[in-house]
Amino acid sequence: MTEFLKSEDTRSPQTPARIFADMTGIQTSSSQFLLDPSLLDQQLKQMAIAAQHHPPKSRLRQRALAQLIGALQQSKKLVHPRRSQFQGFYDEIYAEAVQRLFVYLCEKIDAYQPHRGEVLQWVNFLLDRQFFIEASRDILPTLPKGIDPRRVICLTLEDLDRSNPSEVNPQLVPLPSQQVQQCLEEDPDGKFRATFVDRFPNANFQVLALKRLAGYSWQDLSLELGISIPTLSSFYQRCLTKFAPQLRAYLS
């Protein structure tokens, strides 16, 4: 089984609703209305149709969409695809997938065809068959050929403290977090700062590694730096492989 390092996220996690609001300006609130479980499909359909009836980008459409998305959250009926897979990565992948679903609803609500099925059937199909797959491909690190991504386990620094680092892939496992942080900050040879994503000197290994240790998610870093998640994640994994011997030598 292949294992990759992921710094423990000590910050308050961003929920899909928070990220969605940051991206669209639409605030969702499930406390503004009551859902009747026995009438859920009917209520969701009414909300979707109401949104379709208002002009795109109008305040009334935004309000209807906020109500619809809030109701979907409150219902707790959104599907959780492949829950037993992507250990350690699942929550980040799922949050990203739900965010993409919400943005899609705001942009493509007119694609919903009430006569063909219920809203939950439609959104859960999109979440399962499209957005979860896309999010998993973007967030998972680049894996060696032949490795099944469903069998990847993501390690936290806390896991490393409890285990023998020599038992996992030494090329991908930094040493205890405080010592690693000191080494990254000192950057004795200047190599961490000098190694960066092409045309983005601010996206260097020192910055990325320190922010990952501080608990920043790939979504946070992607938004901050203006670089896609796959590019950042792949660059970071290559740097871990490249600099692992130097980190161990510094701490020996």
Side-chain angles (χ1 to χ4, degrees), residues 28 36 156 181 184 222 230 237 248:
T28 64
D36 184 340
T156 66
Q181 181 176 342
L184 290 167
S222 177
Q237 294 296 336
R248 287 199 301 273

mmCIF file of all heavy atoms in Angstrom, residues 28 36 156 181 184 222 230 237 248:
data_model
loop_
_atom_site.group_PDB
_atom_site.id
_atom_site.type_symbol
_atom_site.label_atom_id
_atom_site.label_comp_id
_atom_site.label_asym_id
_atom_site.label_seq_id
_atom_site.Cartn_x
_atom_site.Cartn_y
_atom_site.Cartn_z
ATOM 1 N N THR A 28 -26.122 30.849 1.659
ATOM 2 C CA THR A 28 -27.183 29.868 1.863
ATOM 3 C C THR A 28 -27.570 29.836 3.325
ATOM 4 O O THR A 28 -26.739 30.032 4.201
ATOM 5 C CB THR A 28 -26.735 28.463 1.425
ATOM 6 O OG1 THR A 28 -25.658 28.050 2.254
ATOM 7 C CG2 THR A 28 -26.281 28.464 -0.016
ATOM 8 N N ASP A 36 -40.444 19.417 4.924
ATOM 9 C CA ASP A 36 -41.281 18.292 5.331
ATOM 10 C C ASP A 36 -40.714 17.049 4.654
ATOM 11 O O ASP A 36 -40.753 16.946 3.423
ATOM 12 C CB ASP A 36 -42.723 18.536 4.892
ATOM 13 C CG ASP A 36 -43.665 17.431 5.371
ATOM 14 O OD1 ASP A 36 -43.172 16.323 5.688
ATOM 15 O OD2 ASP A 36 -44.881 17.682 5.415
ATOM 16 N N THR A 156 -0.859 11.652 8.397
ATOM 17 C CA THR A 156 -0.683 12.936 9.063
ATOM 18 C C THR A 156 0.649 12.911 9.801
ATOM 19 O O THR A 156 1.251 11.851 10.015
ATOM 20 C CB THR A 156 -1.815 13.196 10.065
ATOM 21 O OG1 THR A 156 -1.726 12.237 11.124
ATOM 22 C CG2 THR A 156 -3.173 13.095 9.394
ATOM 23 N N GLN A 181 9.949 22.059 10.056
ATOM 24 C CA GLN A 181 9.635 23.475 9.909
ATOM 25 C C GLN A 181 10.881 24.335 10.071
ATOM 26 O O GLN A 181 11.105 25.273 9.305
ATOM 27 C CB GLN A 181 8.573 23.895 10.930
ATOM 28 C CG GLN A 181 8.175 25.358 10.819
ATOM 29 C CD GLN A 181 7.055 25.723 11.772
ATOM 30 O OE1 GLN A 181 6.351 24.861 12.285
ATOM 31 N NE2 GLN A 181 6.892 27.009 12.018
ATOM 32 N N LEU A 184 13.013 24.006 6.968
ATOM 33 C CA LEU A 184 12.427 24.723 5.841
ATOM 34 C C LEU A 184 12.625 26.232 5.977
ATOM 35 O O LEU A 184 12.929 26.918 4.996
ATOM 36 C CB LEU A 184 10.931 24.400 5.749
ATOM 37 C CG LEU A 184 10.567 22.982 5.301
ATOM 38 C CD1 LEU A 184 9.091 22.709 5.561
ATOM 39 C CD2 LEU A 184 10.896 22.782 3.836
ATOM 40 N N SER A 222 -4.527 26.839 -3.919
ATOM 41 C CA SER A 222 -4.881 27.065 -5.314
ATOM 42 C C SER A 222 -5.519 28.436 -5.502
ATOM 43 O O SER A 222 -5.176 29.180 -6.433
ATOM 44 C CB SER A 222 -5.836 25.961 -5.794
ATOM 45 O OG SER A 222 -6.248 26.190 -7.125
ATOM 46 N N PRO A 230 -4.015 20.165 -9.265
ATOM 47 C CA PRO A 230 -3.128 19.100 -9.761
ATOM 48 C C PRO A 230 -1.681 19.563 -9.935
ATOM 49 O O PRO A 230 -0.750 18.825 -9.621
ATOM 50 C CB PRO A 230 -3.757 18.705 -11.100
ATOM 51 C CG PRO A 230 -5.174 19.111 -10.995
ATOM 52 C CD PRO A 230 -5.185 20.338 -10.147
ATOM 53 N N GLN A 237 4.762 16.870 -4.436
ATOM 54 C CA GLN A 237 5.201 15.482 -4.264
ATOM 55 C C GLN A 237 6.585 15.265 -4.869
ATOM 56 O O GLN A 237 7.415 14.551 -4.306
ATOM 57 C CB GLN A 237 4.184 14.519 -4.895
ATOM 58 C CG GLN A 237 2.828 14.503 -4.212
ATOM 59 C CD GLN A 237 2.894 13.998 -2.785
ATOM 60 O OE1 GLN A 237 3.819 13.261 -2.427
ATOM 61 N NE2 GLN A 237 1.929 14.388 -1.970
ATOM 62 N N ARG A 248 16.610 14.830 5.950
ATOM 63 C CA ARG A 248 17.104 13.838 6.913
ATOM 64 C C ARG A 248 18.546 14.140 7.297
ATOM 65 O O ARG A 248 18.928 13.995 8.476
ATOM 66 C CB ARG A 248 16.994 12.433 6.307
ATOM 67 C CG ARG A 248 15.571 11.917 6.241
ATOM 68 C CD ARG A 248 15.534 10.402 6.079
ATOM 69 N NE ARG A 248 16.235 9.997 4.856
ATOM 70 C CZ ARG A 248 15.660 9.926 3.667
ATOM 71 N NH1 ARG A 248 14.390 10.252 3.528
ATOM 72 N NH2 ARG A 248 16.334 9.548 2.610
#
